[in-house]
Amino acid sequence: MIDRMLINSLFKKRLRLLDNKKKLYQISKSVDEIYQYQINHFNNIWCKAVVEIPFYQFWKKKYDLPISINNLDELKNFPVLKKKDIQENENLIFSYLKKYSTISTGGSTGTPTRFPITKNESLNSYANHYLGRNWWGIKPLDNIILFWGHSHLFGNGLKGKINHNKRLLYDWIINTKRLSAYDMSLDSMERYCRILKKSNPFMIIGYTSAIYKIAKYINENNLVINNMPNLKCVVVTSETVSNYDVNLIEKVFNVPCVIEYGMAETGVIAYSKENSENIKVFWDTFIGIKDKENILNITTINERIFPLINYKTDDIVETKENHSILKIKKIIGRKNDFIKIKVNSNFVEVHSEFFTHILKSIKGVMDFKIIQMKNLSIEIKYVSSNNLSISERFFQEIYKEFNGIDKNIFSFKQVNEITKTIAGKAKWIEVQN
């Protein structure tokens, strides 16, 4: 491996940022002190935004917004900023910018949304990542196994090959090995298990679906995977995680399952600390507020080329706080992850986690997709290594909760593969509108 002193010099700025973060979070602060910090930083960011950014000049005038706030509850009076607003006002957002990069989101589910970003914002996100990982004993440059998609971002042709090789070099420098989340076939998972044992990483991180699948493969095949003395935690990210996922992952790897929550346009927002139901929001970077439907809205309060003010994440969260959210118990998922089923002649809405939990618990099911059609019928596609009929077991579990369910709205189809999103994520639920 490349000399650690050389790496430390190459990463000097981001390591200094991380040290500053650690010191800030080590200082004992009351909730009121944290809130005042957030109010002060919001006022600075907002005042600058309405002077320098045409979009927020327009936004302030349109909604008659104040120049500052005195308490965090006043943020609830700001309009909710949605991806659609950013798409429709791209010119006001990008026209004044000079030195920036762009990231895009939403391409797999709708019209892509572009966001401007700078290098300093990426460095702050890096510091937040390792602040959260530090809670679990993980340091920068520790050996990491990463289950990852997004290889489409490399591009095509010669340029794509150059970008791919750059990524390999950078991964070697930071001591990270990437495994493809696109290919979670049985042969690949067998190979991944061998790599995990050989690499003996300090941390395994990846999409929830990828980590879950390899954990289920290890569990159902009675493989021995606990001879990794360096392993301190398994981190799941980018997709909703259920209690079933957490319990299975912790059983298989015999280390804590850690939740990393964030979005492409914001970077990492929160990390679980001490246990998976104690997800700490990085309060020096984000103000989080719930709306009436318990959907999380985020306001960024660090220096950004385009701050997000009361930005809708679309994620339903479970938390005791109604003020600025400092701790999340559970990230339930998107509002559109609810499925309608017919029970005793009436249609009721049930969160998709109820069904995914059942399907994950059926031995032999390695992947699946639940599709609610426009006529409200439900098709369940599933992947298994053998000829497996799952309907009987599926309804046995459903009857425990909904005894009067109409079985006729369900159909089951065993398939060879479930198509992933372009980023390599699993799309377990699809509701056709």
Side-chain angles (χ1 to χ4, degrees):
M1 180 181 168
I2 192 169
D3 181 77
R4 197 173 185 92
M5 289 185 65
L6 175 59
I7 292 178
N8 287 341
S9 67
L10 292 172
F11 291 87
K12 185 176 181 179
K13 187 172 182 179
R14 63 183 61 194
L15 294 175
R16 185 173 67 249
L17 279 172
L18 174 58
D19 285 341
N20 291 339
K21 290 264 184 185
K22 288 180 181 178
K23 290 174 183 176
L24 178 65
Y25 278 71
Q26 284 168 355
I27 299 171
S28 179
K29 288 183 179 288
S30 68
V31 170
D32 287 340
E33 286 174 322
I34 290 174
Y35 288 164
Q36 191 58 55
Y37 176 102
Q38 293 181 322
I39 291 168
N40 293 341
H41 279 71
F42 169 79
N43 285 334
N44 290 335
I45 294 297
W46 177 237
C47 183
K48 185 178 179 182
V50 296
V51 171
E52 298 181 356
I53 304 175
F55 172 79
Y56 281 120
Q57 293 169 1
F58 154 74
W59 208 238
K60 180 180 182 298
K61 183 178 180 180
K62 180 178 181 179
Y63 293 101
D64 192 24
L65 300 174
I67 193 64
S68 64
I69 62 172
N70 295 311
N71 64 73
L72 294 173
D73 277 342
E74 292 178 43
L75 267 177
K76 295 180 180 179
N77 298 324
F78 278 60
V80 174
L81 179 63
K82 303 173 183 177
K83 286 187 175 71
K84 183 180 178 181
D85 299 313
I86 293 172
Q87 292 169 3
E88 293 177 347
N89 295 282
E90 268 201 355
N91 187 54
L92 289 176
I93 295 169
F94 286 91
S95 60
Y96 82 103
L97 301 178
K98 293 180 180 179
K99 295 181 179 180
Y100 68 95
S101 301
T102 59
I103 55 173
S104 295
T105 67
S108 62
T109 57
T111 304
T113 308
R114 295 197 311 143
F115 295 82
I117 190 172
T118 64
K119 184 178 179 180
N120 284 339
E121 293 170 35
S122 298
L123 294 178
N124 182 72
S125 187
Y126 175 93
N128 281 340
H129 272 101
Y130 275 95
L131 174 64
R133 293 172 186 180
N134 176 69
W135 297 337
W136 300 94
I138 304 298
K139 304 185 297 294
L141 311 178
D142 277 348
N143 181 14
I144 292 174
I145 293 289
L146 169 63
F147 287 88
W148 183 79
H150 288 90
S151 61
H152 62 286
L153 299 178
F154 291 143
N156 300 315
L158 179 60
K159 182 180 179 181
K161 291 180 180 179
I162 292 172
N163 289 336
H164 178 67
N165 288 329
K166 283 182 179 178
R167 182 72 260 176
L168 291 175
L169 175 61
Y170 188 72
D171 285 346
W172 176 71
I173 291 173
I174 64 174
N175 207 15
T176 295
K177 185 172 184 62
R178 291 177 187 247
L179 303 177
S180 175
Y182 293 112
D183 183 5
M184 298 300 292
S185 63
L186 296 177
D187 289 343
S188 291
M189 286 193 283
E190 183 180 353
R191 179 169 58 87
Y192 293 162
C193 288
R194 293 196 299 269
I195 292 172
L196 288 173
K197 289 182 180 180
K198 184 178 179 181
S199 301
N200 189 18
F202 284 82
M203 180 176 82
I204 301 169
I205 181 171
Y207 297 149
T208 302
S209 58
I211 301 292
Y212 154 76
K213 287 172 190 173
I214 197 162
K216 184 165 187 179
Y217 174 82
I218 292 167
N219 186 56
E220 291 194 353
N221 289 279
N222 298 313
L223 301 179
V224 178
I225 199 71
N226 59 1
N227 58 340
M228 294 186 289
N230 286 341
L231 188 63
K232 295 182 179 180
C233 62
V234 175
V235 180
V236 292
T237 186
S238 299
E239 297 167 326
T240 305
V241 59
S242 67
N243 291 337
Y244 184 89
D245 299 325
V246 171
N247 293 335
L248 177 64
I249 290 165
E250 292 187 342
K251 172 188 173 183
V252 167
F253 292 101
N254 199 32
V255 293
C257 178
V258 176
I259 296 173
E260 176 187 286
Y261 173 61
M263 300 182 294
E265 60 267 43
T266 62
V268 63
I269 295 171
Y271 241 85
S272 59
K273 185 178 184 181
E274 297 166 355
N275 62 72
S276 62
E277 292 191 344
N278 184 36
I279 306 168
K280 297 284 192 177
V281 174
F282 296 119
W283 51 261
D284 68 309
T285 305
F286 302 99
I287 300 172
I289 295 177
K290 291 189 302 186
D291 68 11
K292 293 178 181 178
E293 296 179 307
N294 292 321
I295 294 174
L296 178 67
N297 295 332
I298 287 293
T299 296
T300 58
I301 55 173
N302 63 315
E303 288 292 336
R304 290 179 181 249
I305 195 168
F306 180 71
L308 299 173
I309 309 298
N310 208 24
Y311 177 70
K312 188 175 185 180
T313 68
D314 289 321
D315 286 319
I316 299 172
V317 295
E318 182 181 335
T319 174
K320 293 180 179 179
E321 299 160 316
N322 290 312
H323 218 33
S324 173
I325 295 170
L326 304 179
K327 182 175 71 172
I328 300 170
K329 181 178 180 182
K330 188 174 181 61
I331 300 158
I332 297 172
R334 300 298 170 101
K335 184 183 177 182
N336 59 2
D337 281 349
F338 284 84
I339 290 176
K340 291 182 179 180
I341 59 174
K342 195 173 184 180
V343 181
N344 297 323
S345 300
N346 296 313
F347 279 97
V348 297
E349 281 194 338
V350 181
H351 195 274
S352 61
E353 187 175 312
F354 174 72
F355 301 100
T356 61
H357 178 99
I358 292 173
L359 291 166
K360 288 176 180 180
S361 69
I362 299 176
K363 187 173 182 179
V365 173
M366 299 307 300
D367 203 357
F368 59 86
K369 186 171 186 176
I370 304 168
I371 306 169
Q372 177 135 62
M373 307 297 186
K374 291 182 179 180
N375 64 1
L376 300 184
S377 64
I378 298 170
E379 181 182 48
I380 297 177
K381 297 181 179 180
Y382 62 98
V383 176
S384 177
S385 60
N386 49 49
N387 188 17
L388 180 68
S389 176
I390 68 170
S391 58
E392 184 177 350
R393 172 69 192 281
F394 181 82
F395 287 119
Q396 280 178 355
E397 295 300 319
I398 281 193
Y399 288 152
K400 293 177 182 178
E401 189 73 25
F402 299 102
N403 189 42
I405 193 168
D406 182 356
K407 293 171 58 175
N408 295 321
I409 67 172
F410 291 89
S411 63
F412 301 85
K413 184 178 181 181
Q414 186 169 352
V415 297
N416 294 326
E417 183 182 12
I418 302 294
T419 304
K420 295 180 175 60
T421 69
I422 191 172
K425 298 180 184 180
K427 193 176 181 183
W428 280 325
I429 308 298
E430 180 181 332
V431 179
Q432 298 183 353
N433 297 316

